[in-house]
Each structure stands twice: as C-alpha cells, then as structure tokens.
C-alpha cells in the first residue's frame, strides 16, 4: 500500500513498483494526509523515505507506526542525515531496537550521505533486516532498545 497526499507521487510509485520483476498483484494506493489520518491495517514492513525532516511530522508518524506496524514488523527509514530526522529516530522509544548505517551515494552529480535505519520491537528482526539491506557489522550502529 502506497500512501501519499499527492496523487502524482502515488502514480509514480505504483508505476515504479510495476517495473520490478516478480511483483505479485499491483500495490494499492491511497491518497491520505498522514498528518491528519491513519492507514488502516497491520503491516509487517513500513518504508519511510525522508518524511521526518520537520518536527510537526514526528507525532503523526509515531501515531501511524504505533497503529499499523505489526508486532513482528519493521520500519525501514532513510534520510539524508537530517538533524530532525535523528530526533525522530530517537523518539521511537525504548521499545524499538534500532540499527543504522550511513552510506554515500551520488545524486544529481553530488555526493550525499544517506542514513538508513531499521527499527523493530525485536532486536533479531532489526538485525536481520539490517543485514538484508546492507548494513554490515562495521557500519551498523546499535541504539539502545
């Protein structure tokens, strides 16, 4: 399920997903302002890319995560190492095991540091997803649970 308040962003996300080999049924899209509404359902994977850059986003994001992240699920959060995104990640609470790493990518001809974070209730889930996504033991920082 792709959620955004911009229909064009949803159309692009759905098109991009359809280009991936082995995709099952096409993803569902939902026009929604997550600062005011929440997505129904329990999800085992929530992807959040550069959405926590403003303090006013933190409470709605946390509300959404607490409502919709399955007990065995994982949050995968990426951002260009924004200070307020770091604050958000620390606000996930003591109940979340967090693993993070930073890598440098080239975007628009410029080198950009990108922080990737996985958060889950179970440390083993966070470790597993961190390994799947390329966070090596030397890169992965363990935040207190």
């Amino acid at each position: 399920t792709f959620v955004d308040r911009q229909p064009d962003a949803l159309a692009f996300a759905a098109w991009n997903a359809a280009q991936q080999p082995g995709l099952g049924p096409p993803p569902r899209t939902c026009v929604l302002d997550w600062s005011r509404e929440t997505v129904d359902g329990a999800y085992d994977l929530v992807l959040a890319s550069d959405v926590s850059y403003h303090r006013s986003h933190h409470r709605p994001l946390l509300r959404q995560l607490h409502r919709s992240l399955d007990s065995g699920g994982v949050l995968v959060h990426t951002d260009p190492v924004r200070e307020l995104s770091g604050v958000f990640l620390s606000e996930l609470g003591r109940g979340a095991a967090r693993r993070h790493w930073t890598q440098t990518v080239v975007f628009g001809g410029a080198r950009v540091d990108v922080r990737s974070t996985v958060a889950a209730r179970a440390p083993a889930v966070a470790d597993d997803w961190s390994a799947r996504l390329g966070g090596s033991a030397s890169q992965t920082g363990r935040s207190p649970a």
Side-chain angles (χ1 to χ4, degrees), residues 21-112:
L23 177 72
R28 183 171 74 101
T29 61
C30 180
V31 177
L32 182 129
D33 180 354
W34 49 261
S35 70
R36 295 185 181 103
E37 306 165 88
T38 55
V39 179
D40 291 330
Y43 296 88
D44 58 356
L45 174 63
V46 173
L47 303 174
S49 180
D50 200 20
V51 295
S52 57
Y53 53 86
H54 197 280
R55 194 172 294 278
S56 66
H57 299 171
H58 295 187
R59 180 175 281 161
L61 282 168
L62 290 168
R63 181 183 66 232
Q64 181 65 64
L65 288 170
H66 289 292
R67 179 181 173 126
S68 63
L69 191 60
D70 188 77
S71 63
V74 65
L75 164 68
V76 177
H77 177 283
T78 60
D79 72 281
V81 195
R82 296 183 192 271
E83 181 179 347
L84 283 175
S85 293
V87 171
F88 167 75
L89 293 168
S90 69
E91 290 174 348
L92 287 174
R94 296 186 187 274
R98 297 180 298 274
R99 308 293 182 255
H100 61 270
W101 65 97
T102 303
Q103 61 192 74
T104 302
V105 299
V106 176
F107 181 76
R111 295 173 63 82
V112 178

Side-chain angles (χ1 to χ4, degrees), residues 8-25:
D8 288 347
L10 292 170
F12 178 72
W15 175 85
N16 192 28
Q19 306 311 304
Q20 305 309 310
L23 177 72

